Amino acid sequence: MSELQSIDLYKLVDDIKAWANALGFQQVGISDIDLSQHEAALQSWLDNQYHGDMAFMASHGMKRARPAELVPGTVRVISVRMDYLPPDASFAKHLNNPDIGYVSRYALGRDYHKVLRNKLKRLGEKIQSELANTQFRPFVDSAPVLEHAIAEKAGIGWTGKHSLTLNKQAGSWFFLGELFINLPLPVDEPTTEEHCGTCTACLTICPTQAIVAPYVVDARRCISYLTIEYDGVIPEALRKPMGNRIYGCDDCQLICPWNRYAPLTEEADFHPRKVLHGQSLAALFSWDEHTFLTNTEGSPIRRIGFTKWRRNISVAMGNAGYDERYVTLLTEALYGACDVLRPHLEWAIQQQQQKAGEMLTRPRQITRLVRTIEKGLPRDA
Ligand code: SF4
Ligand code: SF4
């Protein structure tokens, strides 16, 4: 590539970083493509079936750790970070109110896949305008790419025990994107130190104990996987711990001390949509399919489809306190419900009935206890 010989690659890297910043990325790093040190961990994760039903994870095999097998000609990866934490995140307010549907904070605005991929494509085109022989391919949260390993190599941050990338200044509330490229750009210093230390807060807080060991997440137990990726019937044992999380889960990031001072997003596209933020379960469950498609247009939530949306909300309604409205809504939904939705509706109705029963028996128990005390008899009399 004679064109390459006439260009100062260090200057090009400076330009690429400036262009990326101008496009709205907060951090940019460049890595080579040798991810061989991650192959053993990847294989063991797959061998343990921790990928659950995500067959595409397994089908890509070691290609995930070998970028040049995925996109021939790739010699470098440009890794980018874009912060997504919206203002008014209202974590506690919404998580602690069981009648509100909690949506993972990254999913309240516009679909990040589209936002990041468009910007990465523009970055690639800009590089191409300088060097016509440039070939590139953008990836955003894409199954065949080991994005956290790449980010670590590109100096973006270290991989925390929850398996997400952490940065000392930015915490972990950010998206990662990658531009595979055929230019031998000078690489950045990799992140070699991790700063989790003795902390294990994310392992302890995880509602479903999905972080089975530091750095190892069993997707089959993870609420993000269960509410988004998983198409089937959610195992009963995991429904209660899901609480009111109807799309994704933020708990392991929320507890992380590195997120205490994480910056807010500069991207208006990631600001919450009113129809999704802090809405009651009853209101969200009342949407018909047309309303779901309208309200989630351009949102990542649309990808899961109407059935999984209702499945997730049914579980949350089962977990909420007794409310006659829930029983009515769930019972009405039984009519014509598919094999995936039905067991969740039935389970949620049962949970609601159980709570209604407890409400009826509790006053009776209290009355009996008071009478017993008044009579001065032992409580078990
Ligand atoms: S996203 Fe939630 S369920 Fe998944 S590992 Fe983190 S805390 Fe656990
Ligand atoms: S909560 Fe603690 S262990 Fe988990 S990622 Fe954050 S610093 Fe690391």
Side-chain angles (χ1 to χ4, degrees):
M1 202 191 270
S2 58
E3 199 187 11
L4 255 184
Q5 284 153 6
S6 61
I7 195 152
D8 177 350
L9 288 176
Y10 287 92
K11 160 88 172 54
L12 181 60
V13 165
D14 288 344
D15 288 343
I16 289 172
K17 290 186 176 176
W19 297 330
N21 289 148
L23 281 166
F25 295 114
Q26 278 73 43
Q27 200 180 352
V28 190
I30 294 164
S31 78
D32 64 36
I33 55 166
D34 178 12
L35 302 174
S36 52
Q37 70 179 103
H38 298 279
E39 291 194 3
L42 173 61
Q43 193 56 56
S44 141
W45 189 73
L46 291 170
D47 291 346
N48 281 311
Q49 304 296 317
Y50 288 156
H51 57 294
D53 277 5
M54 295 183 285
F56 49 87
M57 289 277 190
S59 65
H60 288 292
M62 283 307 133
K63 255 190 194 175
R64 297 183 67 211
R66 297 170 192 163
E69 284 186 22
L70 190 65
V71 182
T74 300
V75 293
R76 294 288 183 267
V77 181
I78 301 175
S79 177
V80 293
R81 177 195 117 211
M82 186 176 275
D83 302 334
Y84 67 73
L85 188 64
D88 182 27
S90 304
F91 290 114
K93 195 167 132 201
H94 295 172
L95 264 178
N96 294 336
N97 184 340
D99 294 310
I100 281 180
Y102 183 87
V103 173
S104 198
R105 275 24 194 163
Y106 77 82
L108 287 169
R110 191 167 140 74
D111 192 340
Y112 64 99
H113 297 93
K114 292 180 187 167
V115 177
L116 267 79
R117 200 178 293 119
N118 283 342
K119 289 178 188 287
L120 278 169
K121 187 165 167 275
R122 281 166 64 192
L123 181 62
E125 285 164 355
K126 182 75 185 153
I127 302 169
Q128 213 168 38
S129 72
E130 296 287 312
L131 274 173
N133 287 329
T134 303
Q135 283 172 8
F136 64 87
R137 189 159 148 198
F139 290 94
V140 178
D141 194 14
S142 184
V145 177
L146 281 188
E147 59 175 5
H148 300 294
I150 289 171
E152 205 172 288
K153 258 209 137 178
I156 301 278
W158 76 97
T159 305
K161 290 180 189 171
H162 49 15
S163 86
L164 302 170
T165 305
L166 273 170
N167 175 287
K168 270 183 162 180
Q169 280 75 42
S172 64
W173 302 114
F174 52 77
F175 298 119
L176 291 170
E178 300 78 31
L179 197 67
F180 283 26
I181 199 156
N182 66 337
L183 302 177
L185 301 168
V187 295
D188 280 288
E189 278 293 310
T191 310
T192 47
E193 256 185 274
E194 67 107 333
H195 302 276
C196 284
T198 55
C199 176
T200 52
C202 53
L203 282 87
T204 311
I205 200 81
C206 175
T208 50
Q209 286 89 55
I211 310 174
V212 291
Y215 318 104
V216 184
V217 174
D218 180 351
R220 296 168 302 179
R221 300 189 64 83
C222 175
I223 296 169
S224 283
Y225 165 79
L226 291 169
T227 54
I228 301 169
E229 305 290 344
Y230 183 55
D231 293 333
V233 174
I234 296 170
E236 226 176 291
L238 299 176
R239 292 180 198 162
K240 278 192 182 172
M242 282 170 57
N244 61 344
R245 298 165 191 80
I246 59 168
Y247 187 97
C249 168
D250 289 330
D251 291 34
C252 51
Q253 298 194 76
L254 204 45
I255 196 74
C256 180
W258 289 106
N259 271 332
R260 247 174 242 159
Y261 307 107
L264 296 179
T265 185
E266 294 168 12
E267 186 65 56
D269 273 343
F270 300 146
H271 286 199
R273 291 183 183 187
K274 275 203 179 100
V275 284
L276 296 168
H277 195 34
Q279 293 295 329
S280 73
L281 295 173
L284 296 171
F285 196 76
S286 301
W287 293 358
D288 59 15
E289 187 161 11
H290 177 73
T291 312
F292 168 77
L293 291 174
T294 307
N295 287 346
T296 59
E297 196 162 356
S299 144
I301 296 176
R302 201 179 216 236
R303 292 165 177 259
I304 68 169
F306 189 52
T307 299
K308 283 160 68 177
W309 175 247
R310 280 168 84 75
R311 175 196 67 180
N312 299 347
I313 304 172
S314 308
V315 173
M317 291 204 289
N319 289 330
Y322 174 70
D323 187 329
E324 209 180 314
R325 270 178 321 160
Y326 292 155
V327 181
T328 309
L329 285 167
L330 290 160
T331 310
E332 281 171 3
L334 276 173
Y335 179 74
C338 67
D339 290 347
V340 169
L341 182 57
R342 177 173 289 275
H344 303 88
L345 296 170
E346 288 169 348
W347 177 84
I349 293 169
Q350 200 184 40
Q351 296 301 307
Q352 282 288 316
Q353 284 168 343
Q354 210 170 307
K355 284 168 201 164
E358 282 164 14
M359 280 172 64
L360 286 175
T361 55
R362 206 173 296 142
R364 260 185 266 146
Q365 284 166 352
I366 293 169
T367 314
R368 218 179 311 144
L369 184 63
V370 169
R371 282 198 194 127
T372 308
I373 293 167
E374 280 171 355
K375 282 182 191 166
L377 292 170
R379 287 181 192 191
D380 58 350

